């Protein structure tokens, strides 16, 4: 009997256990590959995110020999109807554990059960599925370091082998879906990376062979190509973390250790969200529940548009607007500025990032914001207030990153790009003066935190 493979965050053909499970069930029948554009998710995306998903879907379709069906609508009705149309007896997926994804999947599973169709989850977007790494007491971890040790001790499977003699069903996409993808690509305001699993594997291998050795020291420098920039591919599942971890197996280099740790952070935040689904948009730690927040639209708008007058903050926000991506160190700096200089609620920043980052993942994004804000997994971060000037000078020591994204400061040489107020002609091209006094707002942030803690 035919089977359906419903793709979500796994837009690839290699190392995909759900594909193997579908092929095993189908036997001499066909595997029909489906992706459903869910308006609940699609409509909340900014144009760069929609463009990246569209490009990734087109690349995935090519990897499936043009036999990927794309439909638009509520997955609850679309998946069951498609399975019935193609004569499938089962629907195969990579298990989803985000709050929305889990709720949606339960509704789809129930609809399939009404029609006598099997729901078969196999694998997940993670090396170790969320909920599997537990303390000795059988409870989830809330701190990264012990989680990381237990995660490594748990280990993960080898990359899945591709099924042989796979018979794929025809593409049954409708015109509505094709228009959505065409419009998303036409409206995308940024230059996107080359999409697809082949591109992801090329990028991974080039990074592994040429730049991994410098990763431990270079990953915090936004002015150099020190990161892998694989997060957009991980987001859509064009590559699985297990594939990378298999390549790093046995390596004892510091760089491999640090990179594995960064993959571990992704797994940790997914695990935290799985065990605390309300933490997607509510404080993980309730101790700061009485925190006083401001909501000055003009200041938040200045932050979003990259016109705060703090060069490293503005460079990061403009990089986000201009590329759909932002360097991780700068994500922390810009988040700290919004939360602790402008005293805004972390969720306002998290939602802006999720709308525009092509690698935006609710677990990593929102718990990263909570880590900065002091409401998340870090034990005592309330007193950590990033100084945007010293952070800029430390991690962009020659000002190259700032000058790239803030052309009004292109004439300011060296590290002075982080302090245009110290240069006689620093403002001659119209760069704004600082919207707040950082020293004063740091004191105010600490006052608010202490008051909330009391």
């Amino acid at each position: 009997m035919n089977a359906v493979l419903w793709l979500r965050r796994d837009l690839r053909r290699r190392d995909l256990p759900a594909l193997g499970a579908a092929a095993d069930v189908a036997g001499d029948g066909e595997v029909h590959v489906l992706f459903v554009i869910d308006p609940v998710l699609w409509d909340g995306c900014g144009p760069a995110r929609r463009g990246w998903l569209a490009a990734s879907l087109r690349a995935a379709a090519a990897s499936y020999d043009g036999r990927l069906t794309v439909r638009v609508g509520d997955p609850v009705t679309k998946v069951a109807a498609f399975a019935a149309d193609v004569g499938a007896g089962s629907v195969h997926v990579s298990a989803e554990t985000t709050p929305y994804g889990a709720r949606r999947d339960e509704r789809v599973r129930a609809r399939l059960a009404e029609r006598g169709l099997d729901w078969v989850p196999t694998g997940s977007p993670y090396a170790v599925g969320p909920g599997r790494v537990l303390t000795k007491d059988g409870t989830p971890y809330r701190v990264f370091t012990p989680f990381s040790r237990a995660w490594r001790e748990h280990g993960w499977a080898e990359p899945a082998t591709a099924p042989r003699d796979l018979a794929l069903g025809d593409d049954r996409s409708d015109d509505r879906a094709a228009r959505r993808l065409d419009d998303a690509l036409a409206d995308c305001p940024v230059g996107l990376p080359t999409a697809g699993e082949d591109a992801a594997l090329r990028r991974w291998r080039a990074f592994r062979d040429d730049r991994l050795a410098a990763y431990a020291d270079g990953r915090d420098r936004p002015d150099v190509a020190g990161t892998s920039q694989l997060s957009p591919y991980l987001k859509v599942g064009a590559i699985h973390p297990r594939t990378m971890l298999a390549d790093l197996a046995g390596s004892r280099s510091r760089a491999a250790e640090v990179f594995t740790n960064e993959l571990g952070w992704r797994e940790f935040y997914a695990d935290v969200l799985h065990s605390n689904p309300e933490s997607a948009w509510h404080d993980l730690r309730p101790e700061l529940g009485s925190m006083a927040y401001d909501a000055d639209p003009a200041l938040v708008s200045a932050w979003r548009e990259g016109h705060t007058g703090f060069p490293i903050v503005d460079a990061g926000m403009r990089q986000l607007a201009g590329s759909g991506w932002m360097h991780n160190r700068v994500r922390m700096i810009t988040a700290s500025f919004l939360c602790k200089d402008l005293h805004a609620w972390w969720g306002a920043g998290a939602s802006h990032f999720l709308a525009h980052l092509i690698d935006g993942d609710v677990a990593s994004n929102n718990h990263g914001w909570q880590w900065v804000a002091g409401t998340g997994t870090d034990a005592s971060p309330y007193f950590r207030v990033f100084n945007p000037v010293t952070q800029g000078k430390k991690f962009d020591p020659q000002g190259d990153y700032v000058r790239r994204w803030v052309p009004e400061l292109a004439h300011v040489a060296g590290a002075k790009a982080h302090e245009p107020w110290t240069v006689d002609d620093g403002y001659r091209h119209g760069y704004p003066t600082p919207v707040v006094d950082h020293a004063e707002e740091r004191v105010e942030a600490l006052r608010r935190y202490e008051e909330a803690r009391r």
Side-chain angles (χ1 to χ4, degrees):
M1 180 175 283
N2 293 341
V4 170
L5 173 66
W6 177 24
L7 298 178
R8 290 88 68 81
R9 291 196 291 164
D10 46 8
L11 299 182
R12 64 184 183 280
R13 189 164 173 172
R14 303 177 185 89
D15 192 6
L16 183 54
L19 174 60
D24 288 343
V25 168
D28 294 333
E30 295 177 329
V31 174
H32 290 261
V33 187
L34 172 70
F35 186 93
V36 179
I37 297 176
D38 184 348
V40 172
L41 300 176
W42 180 269
D43 294 346
C45 293
R49 279 175 71 87
R50 286 196 293 268
W52 176 240
L53 177 56
S56 299
L57 279 169
R58 289 280 166 83
S63 74
Y64 281 98
D65 308 322
R67 295 170 179 264
L68 169 61
T69 295
V70 182
R71 298 283 176 86
V72 180
D74 183 351
V76 175
T77 57
K78 294 296 179 180
V79 174
F82 181 74
D85 288 346
V86 300
S90 56
V91 173
H92 299 259
V93 296
S94 298
E96 184 55 80
T97 56
T98 62
Y100 175 77
R103 292 193 304 270
R104 174 204 59 205
D105 284 3
E106 179 56 29
R107 292 167 58 224
V108 173
R109 185 202 63 76
R111 180 62 63 88
L112 293 173
E114 292 173 359
R115 300 190 176 193
L117 303 177
D118 293 333
W119 170 261
V120 187
T122 310
S124 80
Y126 303 98
V128 181
R132 293 189 176 185
V133 178
L134 300 171
T135 68
K136 292 180 179 179
D137 297 331
T139 57
Y141 283 94
R142 295 283 288 267
V143 179
F144 174 70
T145 300
F147 171 87
S148 178
R149 286 195 295 265
W151 173 69
R152 290 167 186 262
E153 290 172 2
H154 181 284
W156 37 81
E158 291 294 315
T161 56
R164 296 182 178 179
D165 303 322
L166 177 64
L168 294 170
D170 292 336
D171 174 13
R172 301 188 183 202
S173 301
D174 53 32
D175 291 341
R176 186 182 174 200
R179 286 195 299 272
R180 287 263 185 151
L181 300 185
D182 289 342
D183 290 346
L185 290 169
D187 296 341
C188 185
V190 304
L192 296 170
T194 302
E197 59 183 315
D198 287 341
L201 287 168
R202 286 195 300 270
R203 184 178 289 271
W204 161 241
R205 289 164 183 161
F207 172 76
R208 178 197 64 194
D209 297 342
D210 301 331
R211 293 190 286 119
L212 176 60
Y215 178 76
D217 297 318
R219 67 192 176 97
D220 274 327
R221 292 278 300 273
D223 58 328
V224 300
T227 66
S228 70
Q229 295 196 355
L230 281 158
S231 55
Y233 297 98
L234 285 166
K235 163 60 183 172
V236 297
I239 191 171
H240 196 281
R242 180 177 49 232
T243 301
M244 294 182 277
L245 289 166
D247 280 355
L248 297 175
S251 174
R252 297 187 177 182
S253 71
R254 176 169 171 256
E257 176 76 11
V258 172
F259 188 81
T260 299
N261 242 27
E262 292 304 305
L263 291 175
W265 273 105
R266 179 176 180 268
E267 307 253 328
F268 173 58
Y269 281 147
D271 194 80
V272 171
L273 182 60
H274 172 62
S275 58
N276 304 273
E278 73 286 348
S279 68
W281 294 105
H282 295 87
D283 294 350
L284 178 68
R285 295 163 57 91
E287 295 91 327
L288 300 176
S290 63
M291 185 77 170
Y293 296 107
D294 294 343
D296 186 323
L299 290 178
V300 174
S301 178
W303 174 81
R304 287 175 175 163
E305 295 170 5
H307 290 99
T308 68
F310 289 89
I312 192 73
V313 174
D314 294 340
M317 299 307 294
R318 296 187 195 187
Q319 182 183 32
L320 173 60
S323 70
W325 187 84
M326 188 193 299
H327 187 278
N328 188 62
R329 167 58 58 170
V330 187
R331 295 187 198 199
M332 291 190 284
I333 297 169
T334 56
S336 179
F337 187 84
L338 182 69
C339 294
K340 297 180 179 179
D341 285 70
L342 303 186
H343 314 297
W345 175 56
W346 63 265
S351 60
H352 181 76
F353 272 26
L354 274 183
H356 298 284
L357 284 168
I358 62 174
D359 66 355
D361 170 87
V362 67
S364 294
N365 181 72
N366 290 26
H367 284 105
W369 271 90
Q370 291 211 50
W371 183 89
V372 170
T375 64
T377 55
D378 199 347
S380 56
Y382 68 92
F383 53 79
R384 184 192 297 113
V385 181
F386 285 12
N387 183 314
V389 176
T390 57
Q391 287 280 309
K393 292 167 73 174
K394 179 177 181 180
F395 296 109
D396 180 29
Q398 297 304 314
D400 293 334
Y401 175 73
V402 162
R403 281 187 292 274
R404 176 183 177 188
W405 292 104
V406 185
E408 304 98 301
L409 298 177
H411 67 291
V412 181
K416 289 294 185 181
H418 296 288
E419 302 174 287
W421 48 85
T422 67
V423 180
D424 289 341
D425 63 347
Y427 291 103
R428 76 182 187 196
H429 294 303
Y431 184 66
T433 57
V435 295
V436 295
D437 183 306
H438 170 72
E440 292 179 1
E441 302 308 332
R442 178 182 182 277
V443 172
E444 173 62 11
L446 293 176
R447 183 194 69 76
R448 294 188 187 201
Y449 274 82
E450 289 297 340
E451 184 175 295
R453 283 165 57 84
R454 287 197 298 270

